[in-house]
Every structure is written in structure tokens, then in C-alpha cells.
Amino acid sequence: MDLAYSPEEEVFRARLREWLAKALPSLPPKPSPDDWPGRRAYDLGWQRTLYDAGYADVHWDASPTTRLIFLEETERAGAPYVGANFVGLLHAGPTIAAEGTAEQRARWLPPILRGEEVWCQGFSEPDAGSDLASLRTRARRDGDAYVVSGSKLWTSHAEVADWCELLVRTDGEAPKHRGISWLAMPMDAPGVTVRPLRTLAGSTEFAEMFLDEVRVPVANRVGAENDGWRVTMVTLSFERGTAFVGEVVACRRVLVEVAREARANGAWDDSGVRRRLGRLNAEFRALWRLTQWNVSEGEASGGVPGVGGSVFKLRYSRARQELYELAAEVLGAGALDLGCGWVLDRLSSLSYTIAAGTSEIQRNIVGERILGLPKG
Amino acid sequence: MRFRLTEDQRVLKSGFREVLARRFRTEELRGAVDGSGGLDRRLWRELGEVGLFSLRLAEDEGGVGLGVPEAVLVFEEAGRALLPGPLVATHLAAGVVPGAATGETVVTAVGGGGLVEWLDEADVVTGDAAGAVPLRSVDPATPLHRVPGGGSSVRPDDLFVLLTAAEQVGTAARTCEAAVQHARTREQFGRPIGSFQAVKHLCAELLVRVEVARVAVYAAAVTVDPVDIAAARLLADEAAVRGARDSLQVHGGSGFTWEADVHLCLKRAWVRAERGGSITESEELLAGELLVEAG
């Protein structure tokens, strides 16, 4: 057991820190949350900056420990997060890298790294959220193309995406997990309609997507026909394994800010508030240790994240919600003012126990795949 | 960064688990519970022989020469086995009190809340136990005395708290395994109860608490930082106490009987939670660190 980083890792950290100190002051101002074209340009610009500095592929090619250092340092420095590049860098990219052909990797991976193309995720449907395998969007073979019809929901970044990682049913007769395929669909294809969805936080973070006889080349299928479920599990294990790492560092920083606010407004004098602050400090410290543990274990087993990500996600999503509940208590009436940044974060934290597999689904995964309990 | 067990650490942990599985079976646990015999001195010396007490003592002083992380691993196993006796106090006395390292001398200590475990059986007491009065201990395998008025003044040292937290993690893991074992085999409505989400989810949360507490304890063993230790302690107490309660719930009616082991886990977890000193104090320490960072 060792928490010390190697000399090479420390060199990487020092260079990154130095580079961030120089790169961040020249960033353009952050666009407003509803300015999607502005957000796209901002996020792609940051990815291009990372690319030029040699950090673009840190999520893919670096060792897990190096990636951990990257996420820790960029978050500490207040650098932009992956934003609109989330799906490309953390979902579709790793999936294509792991399961795609040489041509597919050459076509799609470089533009993600260079900050030229944005991806969105076409998984969930109105009747297939947690039970993702029951999805109904159909794809029928017509020569060298699939003809796709159906609808998708909760499609993040759909409004500005160039590509969609799309799950479709290619065999309606097969058992529900067996008849699914994974397609890369161009968002400008005829028949694709995107309609923004307004969330309870007031923003249009997601969209509905309607697909009416959309032609997608067969060559855009990643993995074998009807083998999309397995390909998807690869994607989801990446999502649960690494997607939230930087956020733990961010939450710890917010917790310090909440303590500062509590001292300033007198809430600190309430021992109940202090005790909850202390508990959450223990919580986020432990979540960081769990991250380091999972990364070390992942490094030992070849870098593919396992079901341990479910343990992390269950605990993290709840801790994040508790953090903003405490922040609201410290703020008092101020917690009703949408002008306060914590209030929007409080609202968005409500999605954490739902998105990327609800907590109930995660408990099923832990119960069945780690503990070996029988399926219901 | 290699924050995972080394091969040597794996071997040490599983080796100690095997020793306990051979030497401290259900019969011995039941013997300790129904316990007329007091502390098993022969077992104590055997624990000394396998190095439980002398683990961190330098080799030229007759010890094993290992560190805090290794001590945490073996105390986790001791906690899993529900091994009785003032194990942590004796371990901490090795090299200080003659005979502690080999298990010839049983050392107890005044812990949090002014409580002293196994006072009548101990050869040496660390701290001032003058005037200690016996309690009817809730844990049938841990006799307790209390020092009058000593409760709030006693601040257990960090290693005492950390090794206690390691024992809590071991007990928490045991309660999780017992719950899962029961949920797999016990049938109701024609199905194993573990197939019902209400039960499955209790088991999943049990595991999550164990995993989070375990990494917190391991990390604190590496850093030996007081704030890390306070965090580890809070999470380990929670994992052990809530784990035992949830495990009892999964066991249903049978969990409420004396024959089921789960109440022994819960009662030991309660005793250990007290041993670490006031929980509020740990929480305040962690809160205070935030203010330091806030500047």
C-alpha cells in the first residue's frame, strides 16, 4: 500500500501545473449555460488547447494514475471540464478505441482529440431508461445502410453534436439483450429532429431526438451486428469508472467554501452544522481514497474499470446531494436565490442518483454481480 | 502510487485469517460468549507467537519489523473473527511492557468514555484506572469497567483509534458476508429472499459501507495523519454498527435470537465505537480542517 507518486508521475504533475498556470489566464470568458453554440465553441477550444499542448489523449492513452493526476490538477486549477466533449472523450471514444476497426478509429478518434467534432449519446428512450435493453428504436437493413426509426430521450449535447452513439434494435425476434447494435449516426442525416428538453434547473441540458427513416451506413456499426449490448457495457463501465473523478476534487473544494460561508454568517456556531461539515469531509476524503484505490487496482488489471465503479457512484451521488443540502442550510433564505451558484448546483445534483444508471440499478449491480445474489 | 495490497500483504492477511479460522472457530467464540473461563491465555500466547502483538516491533528487539499498514490488515482479520480481549492495548504495549510482545502479559488500557476492557484479567493497565467500577457489559464477550469521572478527559491516541477502526471494518465485512449468505439460502414465497430488491439493496449498501470504510482505514494507515484517522474512524464505526443492524434486519426473526452471531457483531461494534472517544470530537476535528483550508 503506497500513496506516493513515482518521480515520473510527479514530473508530469509539475509540468501540468506549470502549463495550467500559463494557459488558463488566456481563456475566453465562459458562455452562459443556455448559449449552446457558445458552449460548443468554448469546450472545443479548450480541447484544441489541450491537444496542442500534448494533453488531449490523457483519458485514453495515459496510465490510470496519470489520468488521475490530470483530473486532480485541472480541477484544482479551475480549468474547464470536458463539457460538450464528455460523450466523445469518455464514452464513444473509448468504446471505438476498444471495439472499432482500424478504419473506424482513424475516422472518428482524431477529430475528438483535436476538438473538431462533438458526440452525443442516444441510449435512453421514453420506455427504456433504467431497462435500457428494452429499447425499441428499430434499424432495418437496406443494402449498405440501416434505416432507423424511433425516438431517444435525455440526449445530452444533441443540439450541437456532429455524431450520435446510437443504440438500435437490429433483431426484433432475439431476446432483448441480443438484438441490439451500436451505430455512429451523423446528426445532419435527413430524418433527425432534435427538440430541447427543459430540466427542473431551468436549462436545456438535454434533448429529445426523433428518428424518421434515417439512413446510417452499415460501415458505421461498431462491433458485430446484434452485439451492441456487450459493446455498450464497455461504454458504461468507462462512464462509471472514471467519469466522476474530477468532481470529487470539486466537491471537496465546495465543502471548504461552505465552511467559509458558515463562519462568515454565523452558521458555524451551530454544532449540528459543524458536525455535518465534518462528516462530509470524511466522506469526500474517503471517496478520493476509493478513487485512488480503484485506479491502482485498474492499473494492475490492465486499465479496464470494473463493477467497482458502481460502489463509487452509489456513495458519491448521495454525498454530492448531501453537500448541497448542507450548503442550502448554511445559506438559509439565500438558498432560494437562483443567482447563487450553489442553488443551481443543488438542483443539478438531483440528477446524480438518476443519470448514468439510477442508484436502484447500481444496487442491483452490486447485489448481483459483486455479491452474487440471485436475480429478481 | 500503488494503493493496493502488495503480495506480501495479501499473504500476511490471508495467513492470519487461516490461523484464526483454525484456532478461533464458532465453538471458541461461543465459549467466550458464554464465558465462564475468562480470557483464553493459551490463545493469547499463540497470538503472540504468530506475531500479532510484536508485529511493529523491530526485528532486533524480537519483533516482526512491519509497519502500521500491516498491523491494520491483521486487526481487520481479528475484527472479522470477533476475537475477544484487549488486543489493541496489548499490541500497543509491545516493547514497552515486558511480556506484551509475546502474549505472556495481557495489557489493557483506559479508553474512550473512561472504559476499561478486561480489567480483572489484565496484568497491566495503561492509564489511571483507580476506582474503576464494573459494568454489566452489553457485549457478553467484553467485560467492562468504568473509571469514575474519567469519561471526557481520556483522549485515546491515534494508533489506538486506527487499529480499532480496522477491527470495525473486519466486523462490518463479516456482517455483510453473513447477510449475503442468509439472503442466498433463505427462501420465502418460493424464492431466495436475496432476489427481492428490498433485501438485495440492504446487502448492496452493506458492501458499499464496508468498501468505503476499508479504503479510508488503509489510507490512514499509510499517512498516519490525525485527520485521516478521524475520517477512517467515523466511517468504520458507521460500517460496523449500521452493518450489524442491517444484517440483523436481513436475518429477520432468526437474527433476533441469541444463537445468531449478528448480535455479537453489533454489541462488539458498540463497544469499539466508544473506545475511539467521542464521535463529536472526530467530527469537529474534520470540520476544523475545512476552516484551516478556507484561510
Side-chain angles (χ1 to χ4, degrees):
Chain A
M1 271 188 272
D2 183 6
L3 286 162
Y5 293 89
S6 71
E8 297 76 39
E9 288 160 352
E10 289 297 359
V11 166
F12 175 83
R13 183 193 297 277
R15 284 201 185 132
L16 174 60
R17 201 176 274 189
E18 197 182 325
W19 177 76
L20 284 166
K22 282 203 291 259
L24 292 181
S26 53
L27 270 183
K30 234 180 162 153
S32 86
D34 282 327
D35 174 12
W36 274 103
R39 283 173 66 176
R40 176 188 156 105
Y42 182 86
D43 293 341
L44 288 178
W46 173 242
Q47 181 60 26
R48 180 71 202 193
T49 308
L50 289 174
Y51 179 83
D52 290 339
Y55 291 115
D57 60 353
V58 74
H59 297 291
W60 301 351
D61 284 352
S63 74
T65 305
T66 307
R67 190 160 62 232
L68 186 76
I69 295 170
F70 176 82
L71 291 166
E72 188 182 6
E73 290 299 326
T74 46
E75 180 50 49
R76 273 207 186 130
Y81 194 47
V82 282
N85 294 307
F86 184 89
V87 175
L89 278 171
L90 300 177
H91 284 234
T95 305
I96 293 165
E99 300 287 334
T101 62
E103 294 77 34
Q104 289 173 332
R105 291 200 295 271
R107 165 62 190 89
W108 286 310
L109 300 186
I112 293 174
L113 291 180
R114 288 194 299 255
E116 290 163 2
E117 289 180 347
V118 168
W119 284 67
C120 63
Q121 188 184 57
F123 282 13
S124 297
E125 297 186 5
D127 292 317
S130 289
D131 183 11
L132 184 57
S134 71
L135 63 88
R136 290 202 292 222
T137 293
R138 304 180 313 277
R140 114 184 105 74
R141 247 339 233 276
D142 179 26
D144 59 357
Y146 289 106
V147 180
V148 182
S149 290
S151 69
K152 294 286 175 179
L153 202 57
W154 311 119
T155 310
S156 306
H157 310 118
E159 288 176 85
V160 292
D162 305 287
W163 293 93
C164 177
E165 52 169 0
L166 190 72
L167 288 185
V168 295
R169 186 158 298 287
T170 33
D171 182 351
E173 304 301 312
K176 66 179 184 178
H177 291 89
R178 304 253 173 83
I180 294 170
S181 298
W182 195 108
L183 305 181
M185 179 183 77
M187 290 297 285
D188 59 2
V192 178
T193 309
V194 171
R195 196 167 73 196
L197 259 181
R198 197 164 182 215
T199 73
L200 58 74
S203 59
T204 56
E205 209 51 43
F206 316 105
E208 289 177 282
M209 194 164 65
F210 301 95
L211 307 169
D212 179 20
E213 301 275 298
V214 181
R215 291 185 73 84
V216 179
V218 172
N220 286 20
R221 190 191 66 231
V222 173
E225 186 169 275
N226 300 327
D227 193 31
W229 184 255
R230 191 188 57 77
V231 176
T232 302
M233 287 302 108
V234 172
T235 307
L236 292 182
S237 74
F238 278 104
E239 176 174 77
R240 286 164 198 163
T242 53
F244 298 103
V245 167
E247 296 193 26
V248 178
V249 180
C251 283
R252 184 64 186 37
R253 197 189 56 218
V254 172
L255 189 64
V256 169
E257 288 166 16
V258 173
R260 187 184 289 132
E261 173 66 23
R263 183 180 53 189
N265 72 14
W268 180 263
D269 299 332
D270 179 344
S271 74
V273 169
R274 291 198 305 277
R275 293 184 63 179
R276 283 168 67 193
L277 282 165
R279 281 258 161 202
L280 279 169
N281 190 12
E283 194 70 33
F284 286 113
R285 277 171 159 268
L287 282 164
W288 182 247
R289 297 311 190 189
L290 184 58
T291 301
Q292 290 177 310
W293 183 268
N294 286 343
V295 163
S296 289
E297 287 284 336
E299 208 146 58
S301 67
V304 176
V307 286
S310 292
V311 170
F312 176 85
K313 201 215 166 221
L314 272 169
R315 190 83 175 203
Y316 170 68
S317 55
R318 192 176 57 199
R320 187 182 174 96
Q321 290 175 355
E322 283 171 8
L323 166 66
Y324 286 106
E325 286 313 302
L326 180 59
E329 193 169 315
V330 165
L331 284 172
L336 302 177
D337 178 2
L338 282 173
C340 170
W342 288 347
V343 181
L344 284 174
D345 287 334
R346 182 190 191 192
L347 290 170
S348 78
S349 79
L350 297 173
S351 73
Y352 277 68
T353 43
I354 300 170
T358 65
S359 292
E360 288 68 30
I361 292 291
Q362 305 291 353
R363 287 188 198 100
N364 285 352
I365 292 173
V366 171
E368 288 162 16
R369 289 199 231 154
I370 302 182
L371 297 177
L373 290 170
K375 290 196 177 219
Chain B
M1 187 190 64
R2 300 285 177 271
F3 186 41
R4 57 175 189 268
L5 300 193
T6 64
E7 195 46 39
D8 285 350
Q9 287 169 335
R10 267 179 224 286
V11 169
L12 174 74
K13 194 169 190 283
S14 63
F16 192 60
R17 183 185 294 197
E18 280 164 29
V19 166
L20 292 179
R22 261 201 318 273
R23 192 53 188 82
F24 194 71
R25 297 155 302 176
T26 312
E27 297 95 288
E28 279 83 12
L29 175 60
R30 283 293 154 179
V33 168
D34 301 333
S36 39
L39 196 65
D40 183 347
R41 290 280 182 156
R42 220 181 78 198
L43 172 61
W44 207 257
R45 278 190 296 275
E46 287 173 34
L47 293 172
E49 276 165 31
V50 298
L52 175 63
F53 304 123
S54 62
L55 195 78
R56 290 181 307 112
L57 209 57
E59 284 176 79
D60 54 15
E61 294 172 55
V64 188
L66 294 172
V68 178
E70 287 77 18
V72 153
L73 297 178
V74 296
F75 273 90
E76 182 185 341
E77 292 306 322
R80 180 197 297 273
L82 283 184
L83 205 56
L87 300 159
V88 177
T90 302
H91 172 94
L92 291 174
V96 182
V97 174
T102 56
E104 293 299 321
T105 310
V106 173
V107 183
T108 191
V110 182
L115 290 170
V116 195
E117 300 171 24
W118 294 94
L119 183 60
D120 291 339
E121 298 278 343
D123 305 307
V124 175
V125 184
T126 310
D128 183 7
V133 290
L135 306 182
R136 284 184 58 209
S137 174
V138 67
D139 175 8
T142 310
L144 289 173
H145 280 67
R146 190 165 192 188
V147 182
S152 56
S153 64
V154 177
R155 290 201 53 184
D157 80 49
D158 281 341
L159 228 42
F160 195 72
V161 175
L162 178 62
L163 295 179
T164 297
E167 288 185 295
Q168 294 284 56
V169 167
T171 297
R174 179 192 183 118
T175 65
C176 179
E177 284 157 19
V180 169
Q181 179 61 26
H182 186 77
R184 270 200 204 130
T185 47
R186 170 73 172 165
E187 291 195 6
Q188 293 280 274
F189 307 104
R191 291 153 62 183
I193 60 170
S195 67
F196 301 118
Q197 279 199 336
V199 174
K200 186 178 292 174
H201 288 190
L202 272 176
C203 294
E205 288 292 338
L206 267 163
L207 181 82
V208 170
R209 285 195 297 268
V210 173
E211 298 276 314
V212 172
R214 184 183 282 132
V215 291
V217 167
Y218 288 0
V222 173
T223 66
V224 210
D225 171 70
V227 185
D228 275 335
I229 290 174
R233 178 267 162 111
L234 288 177
L235 295 165
D237 283 350
E238 184 197 24
V241 173
R242 270 206 66 188
R245 290 182 53 170
D246 285 354
S247 187
L248 201 156
Q249 182 69 24
V250 170
H251 278 81
S254 70
F256 192 65
T257 65
W258 191 264
E259 283 68 34
D261 289 347
V262 58
H263 73 106
L264 301 175
C265 296
L266 178 61
K267 291 164 179 174
R268 188 72 61 82
W270 279 343
V271 168
R272 293 202 205 100
E274 207 60 50
R275 202 196 281 163
S278 136
I279 283 184
T280 315
E281 222 167 275
S282 299
E283 289 165 339
E284 294 271 6
L285 178 69
L286 280 150
E289 189 213 26
L290 296 172
L291 269 203
V292 172
E293 281 181 41

